[in-house]
Amino acid sequence: MSQIIESMRRFRVFACPDGGHEARVLEEASFEAAAVAYAEAYALPLEREQEVAIVVHELGTGREHCFKIALASGETIPCG
């Protein structure tokens, strides 16, 4: 049985607008995983019906993605 091992990458992640939360450096396997980990780990002071935009910057490559997370459902979509 072979197992696929995803390499962990370092990301700088922050909520936008920042709302007083500092950026965090997280190690995750993907941009999406880093966005969700940030939302779960750092209590964002928003209503559960709201969305939050989270910017994820990969430290190794400089690539950056933005995701909107619906706090009630946890659905994650690219910012558009």
Side-chain angles (χ1 to χ4, degrees):
M1 174 197 260
S2 66
Q3 193 173 24
I4 298 174
I5 299 174
E6 294 186 62
S7 62
M8 300 299 275
R9 295 151 36 193
R10 290 176 44 113
F11 298 95
R12 181 178 174 271
V13 187
F14 58 94
C16 185
D18 75 8
H21 287 273
E22 294 181 18
R24 305 282 189 225
V25 175
L26 304 174
E27 289 190 17
E28 291 292 338
S30 68
F31 285 90
E32 295 86 352
V36 171
Y38 180 87
E40 290 175 347
Y42 304 102
L44 301 172
L46 300 171
E47 307 271 334
R48 292 208 37 92
E49 298 81 29
Q50 291 183 329
E51 292 180 334
V52 62
I54 296 180
V55 178
V56 182
H57 178 90
E58 187 174 17
L59 295 175
T61 64
R63 291 180 26 208
E64 188 170 279
H65 292 281
C66 177
F67 300 94
K68 285 186 184 176
I69 298 177
L71 298 178
S73 68
E75 180 183 7
T76 303
I77 60 173
C79 294

